[in-house]
Amino acid sequence: MMSGKIKSRSAANADSLSGSVSCDERILRDCHQLYMDTDSGLIAVAQSVGVTLLPPRKKITVMLMGNHSAGKSSFINWYVEEHIQRTGVAIETQGFSFVTSGRKRESLTGNATLHLYPHFKPLHEIKGVSEYLGTEICTSRQKRFSLVTFVDSPGLVDGDMKYPFDVDQAIMWLGELCDLILVFFDPMGQALCKRTLNIVEKLNEKHSERLRFYLSKADEAGGESDRQRVMMQIVQELCKRPGLNKCGFDMPTIYVPNPNKPSRCVNQIEEVCRTIEKTINQTVQNTLNSLEKDCELITEAIADTLSQDRQTSVGNRRARCKGCMLALLGFSVPLMLMAGLVLGSLSRELLEMVLGKGGTEALSVYLTPLVKFFDSMSVEYQLYSCGGLVLLSFILLLLARFSFRTHPTLSGRQKRQLQEKLDYVQDVVKAKKKKLYEEYLRQSVGDQDMA
């Protein structure tokens, strides 16, 4: 049975993934596996009934954007606690760099990056971008890095700076797929970069809930009054944009802590970590909710397919009955005509010998009116009548042929397979989803609060 094989396979996969990974990471991986299994994954099951599903991602995607030297790469290095991205005053990040966790330290070029992230392949259509894509894979397990893919974007500047691709279009496109967009403003004179503000305004029109603003390198802004002045300038410039003029504008001050360079500036860099943590939690919930919705979608599609097949089978039976009736009528007309002609040419003595006296009299009762009516017509009308009866017979047989046309139906094996898939979704996947949701909730509430 299909469901039995799936249960054992799913259990084996769960055991193999339950090593030293966090609960959230295990939930996202298990959900992804439920979709991507070659034989019994939800994507394969859905495709068999004409439904298209998208697999959930195993990590969230966080894009960092801002003017050059805003501290984007430095923040990534601090978060993963490894020196992955080059940093400095110069415009180090000229392209898009993906930073993710893996089994070993590795650097990938543009083509390999697009193979690793197939959902980013449309980036290739933006001229010049693929040559400036790269991926840095490191083994860090610090903070929640195992569930995060950072996208380090090029530093944005105004003036004559020319990029090898349409950087505005590329950032806007990535903003459609990222779960979180961190905008860093540095206090060293480039915070009011018009290119940055223009892109932020466009992103805010569609994805305001994903944007978070930070004053980076806050420890380099001088004294508290200098920081407040810089923040006021940035906030005023942002609020000049109609889409960004909102109540309760928040811009925490952050900087990468340096033990050798203590600062009295309030550092809210942990607020960024909490924002990432919150996005991960929301993604886990959304993934589990999507799993439930997709199960319902597949269940409805399979039920509709089986119901439609039953209706088609009923329609085919009716069509066959209708065809048989029309065929019977089509053959009976010429047979009755031939029977009348043959019986009319036979003598009464011969009929009584074959049918008996009672049978002959009964036959005469039915045929005598027809024979008299037929004899009353001229020879020409008799020929027309015979031709009309033959034409009627032909039309009835033609209608019978068209009525016998039936629609294809599912074979017994196909119906059994669909029923097995339905049972798998109902009994295995939904039970797995319930178990994963309970595991997720147990991180926050006690067993006594679980229903």
Side-chain angles (χ1 to χ4, degrees), residues 41 84 168 274 284 366 413:
I84 301 297
D168 296 24
R274 284 191 288 271
V284 173
Y366 292 105
R413 180 182 178 185

Side-chain angles (χ1 to χ4, degrees), residues 54 138 201 268 303 331 334 408:
L54 293 175
C138 69
E201 185 177 16
Q268 296 174 280
F331 282 115

Side-chain angles (χ1 to χ4, degrees), residues 337 340-341 367-387 389:
L337 182 60
L341 293 174
L367 290 182
T368 298
L370 293 176
V371 172
K372 286 182 178 180
F373 176 74
F374 195 74
D375 289 340
S376 66
M377 293 188 293
S378 63
V379 176
E380 184 178 1
Y381 281 111
Q382 289 179 0
L383 292 175
Y384 286 152
S385 299
C386 291
L389 291 173

Side-chain angles (χ1 to χ4, degrees), residues 76-149:
I76 294 174
N77 291 339
W78 172 81
Y79 191 90
V80 304
E81 299 186 20
E82 288 187 26
H83 190 77
I84 301 297
Q85 295 291 87
R86 293 187 303 169
T87 60
V89 177
I91 305 175
E92 297 289 0
T93 307
Q94 294 184 343
F96 290 96
S97 180
F98 295 80
V99 182
T100 189
S101 63
R103 295 180 180 178
K104 69 172 186 175
R105 182 74 176 89
E106 188 70 75
S107 297
L108 305 179
T109 59
N111 194 36
T113 295
L114 294 178
H115 277 81
L116 179 63
Y117 302 106
H119 48 288
F120 288 135
K121 279 189 176 180
L123 267 179
H124 186 73
E125 298 174 4
I126 302 176
K127 186 178 179 181
V129 172
S130 58
E131 289 80 9
Y132 288 88
L133 286 179
T135 299
E136 299 296 332
I137 303 173
C138 69
T139 58
S140 171
R141 304 284 297 182
Q142 298 300 320
K143 303 177 180 69
R144 305 304 301 276
F145 183 53
S146 60
L147 290 171
V148 180
T149 295

